[in-house]
Amino acid sequence: MRGFLMAGAAAAALMMAAGCAKQMSTPANEAAKRYFDAWMHVHHPDLTATENWIYIEEETAGEGKPADSAYVFVTYTAMDLSGNVSATSDSLMAKRLNTWQPQNYYGPVVWNRTSQQAGIYYSMSGMNVGGKRRTIIPGWLMTYSRYSTEEEYLANVTDGTNSIYEIRIVDQTDDITRWQVDSMSRFVGKDPLDLFVEMTPADTTEYGFYYEGVISSEEGIEYDFEKMDTDTASTLFPSDTTVYINYTGRLLNGQVFDTTIEKTAKDHNIYNSGRTYEPVSVSWGENYSGITMGSSSSSVITGFAKTLWRMSCVKGVKSATGLFWSNFGYGYSGSGNTIPAYAPLIFEIEFTEEPEG
């Protein structure tokens, strides 16, 4: 009897050990890989993976240079394996899907190649400027980590989503700072929106920042675009000053993304009936970084604050236009769907009266 119990215990132990061994040897993405491979077999049986483990479904070779710079300008559409679109920068695609919104930005966006998820980074490998590619990306490649083998991706990435990306590369640069400065200079030179009167591309107030103030007096109108470092410039306003302003914010393509003026909102098709359009209060601090806006004393982006500060440095300035690079705006992240990454911004600001009521 005792021998039977000992044999039974040994058999149970072996079964438990075998079960544990089987569990430990199961790849983290085994089920996900089986599903993806089966989907590929049904929908694209003739496609083979690239050396980077993605699948190229369609491709149009571009006639430009190899797109190997640090930053690329792309239009893209992302979708799942069923074709459901999760994001797009293509206005035609958005209109086709009935998701187009007038306040959203559509057009080329800037991608830092090395900051993209691995599957997207691999999808751009070997492309030329002007080229277009549609790729199918396994979920385990949708990670910001980098591994040298597919096995490592499978073992370490368990929360990625199988994706299809349509990518068109329209331009590239290795120096995103220089690109922004050059774009701003070209804008001021052509001034397609007639925002500046006397200022020229050489009249930068400080690096990455253009400013032109309007001074109204009995003698007429003068324009202030004197070079002045806002880090050290002295304001004429006491630090506890509260003023009221109207403003309108634009991208370099002229698109208005925000305004306190109802007519401007309606003219640019971004009117929101749930918003009150009226001048907003601005409170001064010891320097431009201490400027806050609204009853909640919200902080403002650097370029907006610099424009306000410069307006307070010269007597008689009633309104001004500030143009500044993304370092003074929303940087590499942009802001929602309205302001893309690395976007220079324009703000027209006017001192006005406190709203009644």
Side-chain angles (χ1 to χ4, degrees):
M1 181 67 177
R2 181 182 177 188
F4 173 78
L5 290 174
M6 290 180 64
L14 285 171
M15 290 177 65
M16 289 179 64
C20 291
K22 182 178 180 181
Q23 184 176 7
M24 291 177 63
S25 64
T26 301
N29 274 306
E30 182 179 47
K33 190 173 190 319
R34 285 178 178 173
Y35 172 83
F36 181 82
D37 289 346
W39 187 90
M40 288 298 302
H41 179 74
V42 171
H43 295 277
H44 300 284
D46 298 329
L47 290 186
T48 56
T50 68
E51 61 180 358
N52 293 317
W53 318 292
I54 64 166
Y55 295 81
I56 300 176
E57 184 181 352
E58 298 175 6
E59 183 170 26
T60 301
E63 297 180 358
K65 295 180 179 179
D68 53 8
S69 296
Y71 300 88
V72 289
F73 297 77
V74 307
T75 56
Y76 75 96
T77 297
M79 61 195 83
D80 62 20
L81 296 186
S82 297
N84 299 308
V85 174
S86 58
T88 185
S89 67
D90 187 334
S91 62
L92 293 178
M93 174 63 76
K95 289 176 180 178
R96 192 184 313 153
L97 297 170
N98 201 29
T99 60
W100 185 88
Q101 297 291 330
Q103 69 272 22
N104 289 354
Y105 169 79
Y106 298 98
V109 295
V110 182
W111 282 355
N112 182 335
R113 288 170 58 89
T114 58
S115 296
Q116 296 302 309
Q117 291 168 297
I120 300 173
Y121 175 81
Y122 296 144
S123 291
M124 294 185 286
S125 178
M127 291 186 69
N128 295 333
V129 173
K132 184 177 180 180
R133 182 179 283 178
R134 179 184 171 102
T135 61
I136 305 169
I137 307 171
W140 48 91
L141 295 182
M142 298 304 288
T143 173
Y144 293 100
S145 300
R146 297 287 192 272
Y147 301 101
S148 57
T149 66
E150 185 178 32
E151 287 71 23
E152 289 177 289
Y153 280 106
L154 284 164
N156 290 283
V157 184
T158 58
D159 57 352
T161 302
N162 299 323
S163 303
I164 299 173
Y165 266 76
E166 293 181 353
I167 299 172
R168 182 169 63 93
I169 299 180
V170 299
D171 203 355
Q172 64 179 338
T173 182
D174 278 317
D175 190 342
I176 196 63
T177 296
R178 184 75 256 169
W179 175 83
Q180 290 185 71
V181 171
D182 289 345
S183 297
M184 293 163 60
S185 178
R186 287 192 298 270
F187 178 89
V188 173
K190 295 181 179 179
D191 197 7
L193 304 179
D194 293 325
L195 297 178
F196 301 104
V197 178
E198 293 190 359
M199 194 169 61
T200 71
D203 294 321
T204 51
T205 304
E206 57 186 273
Y207 194 70
F209 178 46
Y210 284 92
Y211 166 90
E212 184 177 81
V214 180
I215 304 170
S216 299
S217 65
E218 294 180 357
E219 288 76 25
I221 296 177
E222 299 179 22
Y223 298 93
D224 166 38
F225 49 89
E226 177 186 354
K227 294 183 186 294
M228 191 179 296
D229 185 354
T230 48
D231 288 327
T232 57
S234 298
T235 178
L236 301 176
F237 294 177
S239 61
D240 60 349
T241 297
T242 295
V243 298
Y244 287 83
I245 64 168
N246 276 318
Y247 69 83
T248 296
R250 304 173 186 265
L251 302 177
L252 287 189
N253 65 4
Q255 181 174 340
V256 173
F257 57 82
D258 190 18
T259 184
T260 57
I261 304 168
E262 182 174 326
K263 183 179 185 305
T264 301
K266 289 180 176 178
D267 287 346
H268 291 271
N269 202 24
I270 64 168
Y271 176 74
N272 181 352
S273 60
R275 173 178 176 174
T276 300
Y277 290 90
E278 63 181 12
V280 62
S281 64
V282 171
S283 300
W284 247 244
E286 295 295 333
N287 50 48
Y288 71 82
S289 62
I291 290 177
T292 59
M293 187 167 68
S295 57
S296 60
S297 298
S298 301
S299 60
V300 297
I301 56 174
T302 299
F304 191 90
K306 281 178 173 285
T307 303
L308 283 166
W309 193 261
R310 275 292 283 110
M311 292 174 71
S312 73
C313 292
V314 175
K315 185 177 180 180
V317 172
K318 301 298 183 183
S319 62
T321 300
L323 164 61
F324 47 88
W325 61 349
S326 69
N327 299 48
F328 296 156
Y330 293 96
Y332 65 86
S333 61
S335 180
N337 295 318
T338 58
I339 301 174
Y342 302 105
L345 301 178
I346 306 164
F347 275 93
E348 302 164 82
I349 302 176
E350 176 189 17
F351 288 137
T352 188
E353 299 295 327
E354 179 179 357
E356 297 180 0

